Amino acid sequence: MTGKKLIISALVLALVQIGFLSWIIAGRAAILRNGREVLLKVEPVDPRDLLRGDYTSLNNNISRIPVKLIANIPQGKFTSDDRSIVVRLKKGAEGYWQPTAAWFGKAPSPAGEGEADIAGHVAEGWGLRDPEATVAPDYGIDRFYLPEGEGVAIQDDMRVRPFGIKLALAPDGTAQIKALMDGDKTLFEEPLY
């Protein structure tokens, strides 16, 4: 391959990579800008990542979904498969959204007025036999990165008063954390880009 063809190939590859990254960023920004907002109550888990700095690892009120809420568990199915889950949320009395139903795969009908669906993923092996058991879906919203030096103080505050995360939900249920809330006050908001 000649030098000129090599340079052209490298430029085309670079443009494809830039285009792909731009597409990912634009998709995230579209959810943050246009998504349906829901508020979840959260509790801290751990305040530090050695490579990325301070963060709050979030355990929210939809981190565990009771098996009795999952409407389409096949008869005789004792453990979960590695698959998607949709959890239907409804706004509660305190302003925090609560799970009201769930389905493996897709919801049988669109969310109604005052409801929203969040898409997640359930790993293989969760027990489905006991209606009081729970599954732990991964929604991709379990960490919120904070300015350097603020993670420990916020974690301590979370232990004494209610905190929440404001989510933006795309029509397909994909979630992005929009803001970290201290009661009604926005502490940190995610930039679009």
Side-chain angles (χ1 to χ4, degrees), residues 4-172:
K4 190 175 186 178
K5 286 184 180 180
L6 187 60
I7 291 172
I8 291 173
S9 296
L11 286 173
V12 168
L13 180 61
L15 288 174
V16 168
Q17 289 174 336
I18 290 169
F20 180 72
L21 290 174
S22 297
W23 176 70
I24 290 172
I25 292 168
R28 181 180 177 282
I31 294 171
L32 289 173
R33 183 176 38 255
N34 304 321
R36 170 112 192 239
E37 287 187 2
V38 301
L39 182 65
L40 300 178
K41 191 172 187 173
V42 295
E43 298 173 350
V45 178
D46 187 6
R48 187 108 175 114
D49 180 334
L50 293 175
L51 298 177
R52 296 183 70 185
D54 286 0
Y55 72 92
T56 298
S57 185
L58 306 168
N59 188 13
N60 58 59
N61 57 327
I62 62 169
S63 293
R64 294 281 191 165
I65 300 299
V67 168
K68 63 186 170 193
L69 289 184
I70 304 172
N72 63 344
I73 298 173
Q75 189 73 356
K77 186 79 171 159
F78 296 122
T79 60
S80 66
D81 296 327
D82 187 27
R83 64 181 309 181
S84 63
I85 189 169
V86 173
V87 178
R88 179 134 314 147
L89 305 173
K90 189 169 186 161
K91 193 173 190 176
E94 295 180 354
Y96 296 108
W97 291 62
Q98 306 292 329
T100 60
W103 300 271
F104 288 122
K106 294 186 175 193
S109 61
E113 186 68 31
E115 298 177 320
D117 289 342
I118 185 169
H121 183 268
V122 175
E124 183 178 352
W126 288 95
L128 302 175
R129 183 181 236 177
D130 180 5
E132 300 306 314
T134 60
V135 296
D138 177 10
Y139 307 101
I141 56 168
D142 60 342
R143 286 186 178 189
F144 188 84
Y145 286 89
L146 303 163
E148 186 67 32
E150 304 217 11
V152 174
I154 288 175
Q155 175 186 330
D156 292 343
D157 287 347
M158 282 183 163
R159 297 189 192 288
V160 296
R161 62 181 187 271
F163 275 68
I165 52 171
K166 187 185 297 182
L167 297 181
L169 295 175
D172 69 354

